[in-house]
Amino acid sequence: MIDKSGRNIEYLRVSLTDRCNLRCLYCMPEKGIEKRSHFDILRFEEVEKIIRACAKLGINKVRFTGGEPLILKGIDELIKNTASIPGIEDISITTNGILLADMAEGLKNAGLKRVNISIDSLKPQKYDKITRLGDIGKVFKAVEKCLSLNMVPVKLNTVLMRGINDDEIEDFIDLTVDNPIQVRFIELMPIGEGVKYFDRCSMKVEEVLERYPELIPVEDDSKVASVYKVAGAKGSVGLISPISCKFCSLCNRIRLTATGTIKPCLHSAEEINLKPYLKDEEKLIEVIEDTVYNKPEEHHLERDGKSDTVRMMYQIGG
Ligand code: SAM
Ligand code: SF4
């Protein structure tokens, strides 16, 4: 699908739930969120219907996210069914990894190709503080399991926060030396709970290069990350800078929220509700095609200092 700015939109990110088993400070309020009725949330059959329609329009890559996607029963079945949709070539998930160690093999057998595991500290106490409910041992086990299953590169998502985890940059980079791991440093975005930390803690990912000039740039087909490596390392380091160096002109993605709306741009308030069209595939395809064609050309996060979206990150999935 080519949008009006000439970009080829081939990647769908699906947030399956807004619930989560963690409460990361920059993402979810400590007390959690109000539980939505099951009727508000798309059922897996409905998600599959939308993915099928998107695949007919040229989407070939799907990522499941949340909230936390792995708290949902039947996600392996959803992955299996998605893998059987003609045109879908790549299925991945973004997860906090807490439940992943025991589920990884089943998910791989269902058709999951790759995982991104979010981990903002390697130190147990700090990890507890950031996630409020997490057990870092479970995340380490998940990383090891995915490496042993050869689901590589295992990508680790780390939101860089000055004064919170910027003292661990080197420790994260060290992980990439002997393991096929890509550590991805991500700039904190002023969205949801992130607004509270933005002024004090945000930092440009470029600082990673200033502090570690030995990182060598490498070719990579990522649309969002600039990729580097320590000489001779098995893994790599990705820098993702939605704020300091936005990648709107390369953006190839659209997002589906758990309540059934399509978001053509992460930081725009614009959303189209697909629920009324679920019974009519032709109309569904038409609405998605129109939404994609009119995808906003760019966001203005760097200018406005805040996102225009009314959604929280746990509703969009990153
Ligand atoms: N629960 C899963 C996880 O944590 O990987 C998937 C959903 S989570 C919303 C997806 C990603 O969004 C995580 O890597 C998280 O760190 C990131 N994220 C959440 N709020 C953010 C913010 N304000 N700025 C930057 N990244 C954020
Ligand atoms: Fe949950 Fe992911 Fe948000 Fe953390 S970042 S609270 S794990 S949805």
Side-chain angles (χ1 to χ4, degrees):
M1 266 182 292
I2 305 291
D3 75 357
K4 66 179 187 310
S5 309
R7 296 168 294 196
N8 186 15
I9 310 303
E10 51 188 1
Y11 178 19
L12 173 69
R13 296 176 63 102
V14 183
S15 173
L16 292 171
T17 175
D18 53 10
R19 287 182 298 125
C20 187
N21 47 358
L22 299 185
R23 301 279 182 273
C24 301
L25 335 139
Y26 53 77
C27 181
M28 271 220 181
E30 185 161 16
K31 61 180 186 339
I33 53 162
E34 221 169 279
K35 215 172 164 186
R36 281 181 189 271
S37 145
H38 279 300
F39 297 111
D40 290 343
I41 303 294
L42 287 181
R43 287 177 286 120
F44 281 176
E45 307 91 84
E46 295 173 322
V47 172
E48 280 166 40
K49 228 178 229 180
I50 294 172
I51 297 175
R52 205 172 283 281
C54 288
K56 289 194 172 152
L57 288 164
I59 293 287
N60 52 39
K61 200 173 152 191
V62 175
R63 173 175 298 272
F64 293 114
T65 170
E68 175 48 40
L70 297 188
I71 62 174
L72 297 172
K73 284 202 183 79
I75 186 163
D76 45 354
E77 197 63 24
L78 173 67
I79 289 175
K80 193 166 152 210
N81 293 345
T82 302
S84 72
I85 294 176
I88 299 299
E89 293 162 8
D90 186 76
I91 305 172
S92 56
I93 52 168
T94 298
T95 169
N96 58 37
I98 295 290
L99 300 171
L100 181 59
D102 291 340
M103 295 174 75
E105 192 157 4
L107 295 172
K108 184 181 176 188
N109 292 339
L112 184 72
K113 292 270 195 320
R114 289 168 302 104
V115 293
N116 284 34
I117 301 174
S118 301
I119 177 167
D120 297 325
S121 173
L122 299 170
K123 297 181 181 167
Q125 277 189 341
K126 201 193 289 179
Y127 181 83
D128 280 359
K129 259 198 167 154
I130 295 173
T131 63
R132 294 177 175 131
L133 295 174
D135 172 351
I136 202 169
K138 293 184 175 164
V139 187
F140 289 153
K141 272 198 190 133
V143 175
E144 280 164 23
K145 185 72 188 184
C146 292
L147 289 172
S148 75
L149 290 168
N150 207 25
M151 295 167 87
V152 294
V154 173
K155 293 188 179 172
L156 302 186
N157 284 359
T158 303
V159 176
L160 260 192
M161 291 170 283
R162 192 180 306 285
I164 297 186
N165 63 0
D166 61 322
D167 58 328
E168 294 188 60
I169 295 174
E170 188 167 8
D171 299 339
F172 275 106
I173 295 176
D174 282 350
L175 290 179
T176 69
V177 174
D178 293 325
N179 303 290
I181 285 177
Q182 182 178 96
V183 170
R184 294 150 64 93
F185 293 112
I186 303 171
E187 288 175 357
L188 179 67
M189 288 182 258
I191 177 169
E193 296 289 297
V195 172
K196 296 181 186 163
Y197 295 88
F198 190 71
D199 286 344
R200 186 161 42 96
C201 303
S202 67
M203 53 188 283
K204 293 182 176 174
V205 284
E206 262 170 27
E207 240 184 272
V208 172
L209 294 179
E210 285 159 22
R211 294 197 204 177
Y212 301 96
E214 61 274 26
L215 288 172
I216 308 161
V218 291
E219 291 271 319
D220 192 277
D221 57 9
S222 170
K223 297 274 191 286
V224 298
S226 323
V227 182
Y228 298 82
K229 154 176 221 148
V230 173
K234 287 192 179 152
S236 59
V237 176
L239 302 183
I240 303 185
S241 49
I243 314 266
S244 64
C245 178
K246 61 185 192 180
F247 32 80
C248 300
S249 66
L250 296 175
C251 186
N252 64 345
R253 59 197 58 193
I254 50 173
R255 292 171 167 83
L256 175 65
T257 67
T259 51
T261 63
I262 280 272
K263 276 185 77 63
C265 167
L266 170 62
H267 294 296
S268 154
E270 189 187 340
E271 292 189 7
I272 309 294
N273 183 8
L274 296 182
K275 273 190 173 165
Y277 312 110
L278 288 173
K279 290 205 168 90
D280 179 350
E281 194 187 34
E282 221 172 277
K283 185 71 189 160
L284 182 64
I285 291 178
E286 194 184 307
V287 172
I288 297 171
E289 194 170 24
D290 186 60
T291 308
V292 170
Y293 182 74
N294 290 302
K295 180 175 159 71
E297 197 178 342
E298 58 178 352
H299 69 67
H300 298 288
L301 208 52
E302 76 296 356
R303 184 191 69 197
D304 303 341
K306 67 176 187 46
S307 182
D308 288 337
T309 186
V310 291
R311 296 274 186 170
M312 303 294 138
M313 210 59 162
Y314 56 79
Q315 295 174 309
I316 310 170

